Amino acid sequence: MNSPERKIQTSVTNFLYCGDNYLFLERDPSKEIDGGKINGVGGKVEPGEDYLSAAIRETAEETGLKVTPGDMKLAGVIRLEGGYAKDWVMCFFKIRVPTMEIPSGLIVPDGKLLWIPSDQVLSGQYEVVDDLKLCFKDIILGTYQFFISATMDEELKVKNHSTQRIRIN
């Protein structure tokens, strides 16, 4: 018997960086999805919008920073199945910014923004969303674009995944 087809949510996750520091959103613990966990800034792709435009818009909305395509690199794409109410297809971008000043301030509606040195992100000091464990090293290094398909369990942990990488010249 076939399981019912699940709806797909498209989104962008942006990893702004200045030097070796990366900007993360620590979601308010009261939030239903990923409460208390850190992730890059981003959000849903709106109807009729492409991923690049969504990444630029979400960066401006969440931080007040104006970025251009010249500041950005596509880091990779992840498809998450299960766990959440919808399956997700997410484009991850690495975005260079000239300063760690955040025009909108560090307290935002979904939580607070934190600059974290890259070597501390996966150290266990912070609770990261589980899919970030699969790709953050690739985001930092910037040597490969990643393409990941992962299955999540009810606790939003990755059960299994496959990863393909393409070297960036």
Side-chain angles (χ1 to χ4, degrees):
M1 175 166 31
N2 291 337
S3 59
E5 193 168 314
R6 290 172 47 97
K7 293 193 181 277
I8 295 175
Q9 179 64 62
T10 56
S11 69
V12 294
T13 305
N14 304 320
F15 294 93
L16 284 68
Y17 71 100
C18 183
D20 192 41
N21 294 294
Y22 284 77
L23 186 65
F24 285 87
L25 171 65
E26 183 177 41
R27 289 187 55 88
D28 187 288
S30 68
K31 296 290 182 182
E32 182 179 338
I33 296 178
D34 298 332
K37 296 180 181 178
I38 65 166
N39 201 355
V41 299
K44 297 174 183 173
V45 177
E46 295 181 356
E49 188 176 42
D50 62 76
Y51 286 96
L52 182 61
S53 297
I56 292 169
R57 175 185 54 75
E58 286 288 347
T59 297
E61 286 177 5
E62 294 193 17
T63 67
L65 291 167
K66 306 292 184 212
V67 297
T68 68
D71 301 319
M72 306 169 71
K73 290 183 180 176
L74 175 65
V77 179
I78 296 182
R79 178 184 172 112
L80 293 178
E81 297 176 348
Y84 297 98
K86 297 179 182 178
D87 292 340
W88 288 76
V89 175
M90 306 171 290
C91 281
F92 286 59
F93 291 91
K94 183 175 179 178
I95 304 174
R96 180 180 33 84
V97 294
T99 177
M100 290 178 21
E101 240 178 84
I102 303 297
S104 66
L106 296 177
I107 305 300
V108 295
D110 285 335
K112 61 184 175 180
L113 298 172
L114 308 167
W115 285 101
I116 303 174
S118 63
D119 64 349
Q120 293 179 19
V121 173
L122 300 177
S123 68
Q125 180 177 351
Y126 300 95
E127 188 176 358
V128 301
V129 294
D130 213 44
D131 55 288
L132 193 54
K133 297 171 188 173
L134 303 176
C135 63
F136 191 66
K137 288 179 183 173
D138 283 332
I139 292 168
I140 294 169
L141 295 174
T143 308
Y144 295 93
Q145 287 177 325
F146 55 85
F147 300 87
I148 299 172
S149 178
T151 304
M152 309 285 287
D153 65 18
E154 295 77 27
E155 284 80 44
L156 305 180
K157 300 289 183 194
V158 173
K159 290 192 305 189
N160 55 59
H161 73 283
S162 65
T163 302
Q164 300 292 323
R165 291 178 176 86
I166 297 174
R167 181 177 274 293
I168 300 171
N169 295 332

